[in-house]
Amino acid sequence: MNPLVPPGVYAPQEDTELLAGVLSDEPLPPGAEVLDVGTGTGALALEAARQGFRVTAVDVSWRAVWAARLNAARAGLPVRIRRGNLFDPVRGESFDLIMANPPYVPAPDGAGQPRGAARAWDAGGDGRLVVDRICREAPDLLRPGGVLLVVQSALSGPDLTVGQLRSAGLKAAVTRRRRIAFGPVLRGRERWLRERGLLSAAEDKEELVVVRAELPV
C-alpha cells in the first residue's frame, strides 16, 4: 500500500528506499524499540512496524504528523507518532535503533531557516544544519549496543558525520552507497553547487550514503 502524501509533506524517494533496505538488514530482536526522526509520511516507521518492532515516529511538521498517523491507521500498524523538533518529544527515553532521513541538501541561502516544504531538504550552506544536531544528540538516546542509521548526500560531508559519531564514542562507518539522477532541487542548484566545488564538472549524479553507528555494549 503506497502512503498518502499530502501537499507539503516529503514523498518517499530513493533515500527512503535506501534506508529501508539497511533497516531490513539490521539483526534486531522482535519488539525492539525503534525511533524514526523526521518521519514525513511515516514510510520508514511503518516498515519498522511491519518487522515487529515497537516504533515511535517524530516530525516537526503537523502535516507530516497527521499524514503518518493516517498512513499507520490505513496499514493497521501500531506506531506512536509525536510532533516535535528532532528528539525533543522523546527526551529521557532510549532506543535500540534510531533512523533518520534528515534534510541534507546544501542551500544557497544557507544563513536563513528553511520554511514550508523546503524544511524536508534545505539544510544550510553546507547541508549539515540537522545532521550535526543528530550527531550531537542521538548518542544519548541509544541503549548499549544500539544503532543509529542516517541517510545523507555525499554533498553534505558523510566523513564529518562518521568523525563526529566516532568522537562521541560510537563505532561508525558508511555502509551503503547509491548514485541517483539529480532531482528537481539539485537540478535547480546545479550551477551553484559546481561554483562552490561541491560538484565537479563531470559529475551528473548524486551519491547517497547511509552512515551506520553503533554504541558499544
Side-chain angles (χ1 to χ4, degrees):
M1 180 186 299
N2 291 328
L4 296 176
V5 185
V9 177
Y10 185 74
Q13 298 181 41
E14 288 94 340
D15 48 7
T16 313
E17 180 184 344
L18 183 62
L19 192 52
V22 177
L23 169 66
S24 297
D25 292 340
E26 283 295 326
L28 294 174
E33 294 280 355
V34 172
L35 173 65
D36 178 26
V37 289
T39 194
T41 63
L44 287 167
L46 296 183
E47 181 59 33
R50 289 187 189 97
Q51 296 180 36
F53 306 138
R54 294 165 57 87
V55 184
T56 299
V58 174
D59 204 289
V60 72
S61 162
W62 271 117
R63 285 192 183 191
V65 167
W66 287 112
R69 287 175 177 169
L70 179 58
N71 285 320
R74 291 174 72 230
L77 292 168
V79 177
R80 183 177 66 143
I81 302 166
R82 298 288 183 266
R83 190 259 175 184
N85 193 333
L86 277 185
F87 304 107
D88 287 350
V90 292
R91 299 291 181 195
E93 301 184 38
S94 62
F95 299 90
D96 300 294
L97 184 139
I98 298 172
M99 54 184 171
N101 181 4
Y104 51 68
V105 179
D109 54 344
Q113 287 288 333
R115 296 179 177 274
R119 289 185 299 182
W121 56 81
D122 278 358
D126 58 3
R128 301 190 58 83
L129 186 66
V130 179
V131 174
D132 283 341
R133 281 192 59 197
I134 291 172
C135 292
R136 288 194 305 269
E137 299 177 23
D140 289 338
L141 279 76
L142 286 174
R143 296 172 178 171
V147 171
L148 169 67
L149 300 174
V150 182
V151 63
Q152 67 176 96
S153 172
L155 299 173
S156 53
D159 289 345
L160 290 173
T161 302
V162 169
Q164 289 179 16
L165 292 169
R166 288 178 177 173
S167 295
L170 280 65
K171 297 182 290 185
V174 172
T175 59
R176 197 72 60 91
R177 299 177 184 269
R178 179 182 297 179
R179 294 181 65 80
I180 65 170
F182 292 161
V185 175
L186 251 62
R187 286 199 301 271
R189 294 177 189 172
E190 185 175 348
R191 180 176 177 180
W192 176 78
L193 291 167
R194 295 192 194 283
E195 289 173 350
R196 284 203 59 193
L198 295 173
L199 280 174
S200 71
E203 285 182 284
D204 61 356
K205 291 185 183 297
E206 179 187 15
E207 184 178 44
L208 300 177
V209 307
V210 175
V211 174
R212 182 185 186 276
E214 182 175 346
L215 183 66
V217 177

